[in-house]
Amino acid sequence: MRGDSRLSRMLHVLIHLGRRSEPATSELIAKMLNTNPVVVRRTMAGLRERGYVHSEKGHGGGWTLTKTLDEISLLDVYDALERPELFCLVSASDHAGCLVEISVNEALEDARREAEALLLSRFATIKLSDIAGEFDRRMDMLSLSSGAQGFET
């Protein structure tokens, strides 16, 4: 089963949008994500419907944030993406009547539900501004480290 990177990719895009003074076109975002502009528009549509971004067509148009990074949580973005699967574990269904299989599947499903609830509650506490702040901290460290060694950034 292939992983779903939409959440991390959209978080990346939203933080870039929060740092831009002008709109970003679907083409620019697609280039950043190494994908197609149609995929960008389709994925961003859920964020637009939730009121996190706005799109403007035509010359000078593109995508902009409608909320600040500290008003958007990871959970908000996850919900706007229609809650992609968090875990790739699936229950076996080879022997539907087997009591061992039923017990195993129930135990795995209970654990998955608990883990998902914990992860989603954590998502609710992380704002995009927290991630952007961590990026700033890393850039500052890199600048200090590069400056001390005489490198230009």
Side-chain angles (χ1 to χ4, degrees):
M1 176 180 271
R2 207 167 157 223
D4 187 332
S5 62
R6 286 179 298 160
L7 180 59
S8 64
R9 297 179 105 197
M10 286 302 102
L11 294 171
H12 182 164
V13 167
L14 293 171
I15 291 170
H16 274 291
L17 289 179
R19 301 291 175 109
R20 293 179 62 90
S21 57
E22 69 278 344
T25 64
S26 295
E27 290 74 18
L28 177 67
I29 295 170
K31 186 179 278 190
M32 180 188 345
L33 298 177
N34 196 28
T35 192
N36 187 296
V38 173
V39 172
V40 169
R41 286 188 285 275
R42 190 176 335 132
T43 307
M44 297 287 282
L47 296 165
R48 181 182 54 223
E49 290 167 9
R50 300 284 178 114
Y52 303 121
V53 296
H54 173 75
S55 64
E56 193 71 39
K57 294 181 181 181
H59 182 69
W63 296 95
T64 56
L65 284 181
T66 57
K67 296 184 182 255
T68 64
L69 294 176
D70 63 338
E71 294 177 297
I72 306 170
S73 71
L74 267 67
L75 184 60
D76 295 330
V77 178
Y78 177 73
D79 285 341
L81 295 173
E82 298 181 350
R83 293 183 165 239
E85 286 294 322
L86 291 171
F87 306 107
C88 63
L89 293 175
V90 294
S91 300
S93 59
D94 301 325
H95 308 285
C98 176
L99 296 179
V100 171
E101 184 173 284
I102 292 168
S103 297
V104 166
N105 288 346
E106 284 178 2
L108 289 174
E109 184 57 24
D110 286 348
R112 188 201 58 75
R113 272 194 303 272
E114 286 179 32
E116 185 173 300
L118 181 62
L119 185 57
L120 293 178
S121 69
R122 179 72 174 112
F123 277 7
T125 69
I126 302 171
K127 301 293 184 187
L128 272 60
S129 57
D130 298 330
I131 300 169
E134 179 60 20
F135 163 76
D136 290 337
R137 187 189 68 74
R138 289 172 189 259
M139 282 301 292
D140 290 345
M141 295 293 288
L142 182 62
S143 294
L144 290 173
S145 150
S146 296
Q149 298 173 9
F151 295 117
E152 305 243 350
T153 54

